[in-house]
Amino acid sequence: MPPSAAEAAAIAVTRFGLGARPGEIERVGADPRGWLEAQATPAGAPNPPGQFVASPERLHQLLAYRAEAAETRQARVATPETGVAMAPASAPGSAMAQDVAMTPAMGDPAAEAALAARRDSRREMTQDTAREFLARAQLGATTDTGFAERWALFWANVFTTSATRFQSAVFMGPFEREAIRPHVFGKFEDLAAAAEQHPAMLLYLDQAQSVGPNSQAGQRRNVGLNENLAREIMELHTVGADGGYSQADVTEFARALTGWSVPTPRDQGGNAGGRGRRVQAVRAAVAGEPGVNAFVFRPVVHEPGARTVLGRTYPEGGREQGEAVLRDLARRPETARRLARKLAIHFVADDPPPALVDKLETAWTRSGGDLAGVARALIAAPEAWSPQPVKVKTPYDFVISTHRALASSPTRVQPLQQALVSMGQPAFSAPSPEGWPDIAADWAGPDALVKRLDWAKTVADLAAPSADPNAVAAGALGARLGERTRQFVARAESRPEALTLFLMSPEFQRR
Amino acid sequence: MTRSFAINRRLLLGGALGGVSLAFAGHASAQGAGEGVGRRKLVVIVARGAMDGLSAVVPHGDANYVPLRGSLAVAAPGQAGGALDLGGGFGLHPALTGLYALHQAGQMRFAPAVAIPVRVRSHFDAQDVLENGGEGLRQQDDGWLNRALIAAGGPKGLSIGAQTPLILRGAADTSSWSPGGQVTGQDRIAALLQDMYVDDPLLGTSLARGLETDAMAMTVGGGTPLRRNDVNGLGQAVARLITGEAGADVVALSVDGWDTHARQNAQLQARLTGLDQVIDGLREGLGGQWADTIVVVATEFGRTARANGTQGTDHGTASSLLLAGGALRPGGPIGDWPTLADNRLFEGRDLAPTLDVRSVFKGVLRDHLGADRAALDARVFPGSAAEAPAVDGLV
């Protein structure tokens, strides 16, 4: 059954977007589809506001930090570097449990100073990442282009990188700003190329360590191929596990990708500590062929020769060899089919109507992967407009849509992170390259509900003094507010109770 | 602006409740030195949800009471489950045994028919008026009790609960403390949600199972369960926050769950028992300081004189208001009883108010806390000089 005009306006903001701020549904009212379409611009999705470092600068910081680490290690018995900046149990910028183990030798001032410097660098980068997350959440809470934001977050989740490893954690913010958002309404293969060549991805999936066995470096030292990036590109970012590739294809692709890297001090023949760390880091960077966003292609580790992947041969080459394989994977029909289905699951239903998936796939293949065209096909599909709320909100969705409903915005990262951790979705920290799951069973479990209720109660207590619960409910859901919920809210005993009921209502827990 | 220094809950729950006053003292001393014991203490309990005043203070002597209330009527004193006789045709609900004992000792009084100055039927709006002390809706965005702190020369305010209620919000700094921890299955909100989720098997089942698990897991400190309905313990905890040199002087506390639209007898029995136990716990915990304390129990409006079709009552107008404490001067009912005669009911359905709730508040603030008379009329309860003169002789 098609939605009424009022329902359509509400659906545009609450299902396609991140939830309604007061008055937003009315503003959209006249032309919900037009409002959505206008957001699919070639310029991409807007960036969170604020001053943040770009990848090259962040890389310098990381290299300096690693050099300090190397020094510390050499000053005493080595402890392996562990790297978790935003592990679920800790909030960003808080106690750095990993460093506790690195106590300096007794009474060694130089080592202690080095350790202190190292802690400071780590803390600074961790805090930067926390700031980035806060900025992104603030954008989510206040944006007028909620569809573009949801779309961008979807693609960031497809190309998951995660803060579960320190070296990628510090690039999470730059990754979304540099590699994802600018490309989300362009061609998919361009998005893929930008994502796979970003330091966040290269570090997350160990690509920077991958060395072709027959390359110059490979022959000199006992290091080898790392297939992680190649496999994840095929399995998660393009054709999918049943996309028809074999283990041999993975290995060939991995060989083609050797050389895709970021500069590291190690490649300068080891760094025995001492002066000139930054100089050495810069030298390392120019030793290869720099690309965008602190990418560098290093011929010394590139596996020579032609490569054959999925039946196609790629002549010997540098960076473009791996990129050619990537783009071909991006263009395959299996990729279109698989990602069309993921889109349908995310935006519409856990088990989407096949007709919807077909429409998205068709728009994709007909346009050569033009994501703006796919977005428009989604907006135009009647299946995307059924009035019933079916998609359970993720914790991030829930928190952001709550802020929007209350016309507020998160001001500090720690409570935000604590809420998300308790609900099972720690900031920037998807547990695996698969990213965050997207169906009800993953988010509506027993403990998750209780945690959501605890948080809703806290928020309701804070917001109650200045909120009219009936107005909040009406403003946040419009025509999607059911009569049963409306009555529960209106008849509640107190404002906090009314707001809690609203935030936990079936309609608000879904979109 | 009100600043709330939320006390670390874990600190309080981790050890014996005796640790509570230490934590508060730590915060309070950051604000300035305390003035020692002997300060007057005031505890305002806001009963949210429209407490049925006719059941708390039963007008058993009124000929229309039983006909109007039918099966909801509390039996007359002397009968099984009968009211506890206060004299003059009034009795306390049988659950209020502690308050009755206080009455017999001259430490409890009641006003049988008070109301806020405007007629509204919405809980939220009426609570706002009750708490902001204004003449009408949306007149103040701070609370009369906060303004009273200033008018009374700086007693220390404390709110119990996760967030400072309107009654204590305002220019004077106050503290806050929150008992208990997570929402549990016994909480009203959990029951409401289960009801709301009746057509939502996914959320309904999940929440039920989640709360079950939580209940099994919830222990405190050395394995002693802190039950959410341990209201006597809550009263004692609040008392500890008051006693001692740096303790709170003025406390605001909410008790929910009064909106008895259906099957009210059982619910009221439970709620009134809880209320009685909070006050009893307070009295016990305050020890000698009970002699300097007054407790006020007020609600935003009362309930209909008649029972409705679901063995409950609906939103009304006047309700009874309760006062307890060692600092009270013994006396009879405060304000007139309008009777439940048909032609005396407000709009033919509710107990009519004969006293403005602000008058009772003013009487307590002036005579117990020493608030300045003129300030009470001008600032604490603006516009109330003529409409709601302070009640005399309470203290």
Side-chain angles (χ1 to χ4, degrees), chain A residues 264-326:
Chain A
T264 70
R266 267 191 295 245
D267 284 276
Q268 299 310 295
N271 185 358
R275 282 144 288 193
R277 275 190 299 280
R278 285 194 182 266
V279 175
Q280 289 181 26
V282 170
R283 271 200 218 114
V286 301
E289 298 157 20
V292 293
N293 300 330
F295 173 89
V296 70
F297 178 80
R298 295 187 293 117
V300 292
V301 300
H302 181 63
E303 181 75 358
R307 302 267 77 86
T308 302
V309 181
L310 281 165
R312 195 165 157 198
T313 302
Y314 299 84
E316 180 162 294
R319 180 185 66 85
E320 63 276 8
Q321 186 187 54
E323 184 161 329
V325 181
L326 172 64

Side-chain angles (χ1 to χ4, degrees), chain A residues 444 484 493 495 497 504 510, chain B residues 128 188 197 200 206 257-258:
Chain A
R484 190 178 177 77
E493 265 194 0
R495 284 215 170 93
E497 183 179 279
M504 294 303 297
R510 297 179 173 86
Chain B
D128 281 355
R188 180 184 155 78
Y197 290 162
D200 192 335
S206 267
W258 298 100

Side-chain angles (χ1 to χ4, degrees), chain A residues 9 13 19-32 35 142-145 404:
Chain A
V13 185
R21 283 181 77 91
E24 193 175 3
I25 295 178
E26 280 91 66
R27 281 197 300 280
V28 164
D31 184 12
W35 178 75
T142 57
T143 182
D144 289 329
T145 54
R404 293 184 73 85

Side-chain angles (χ1 to χ4, degrees), chain B residues 65-87:
Chain B
Y65 171 65
V66 171
L68 283 168
R69 279 293 173 102
S71 65
L72 302 187
V74 175
Q79 298 181 18
L84 306 167
D85 198 9
L86 299 168

Side-chain angles (χ1 to χ4, degrees), chain A residues 188-203:
Chain A
F188 173 73
E189 60 180 87
D190 293 336
L191 170 62
E196 310 300 3
Q197 293 179 41
H198 196 276
M201 186 68 73
L202 298 170
L203 292 168

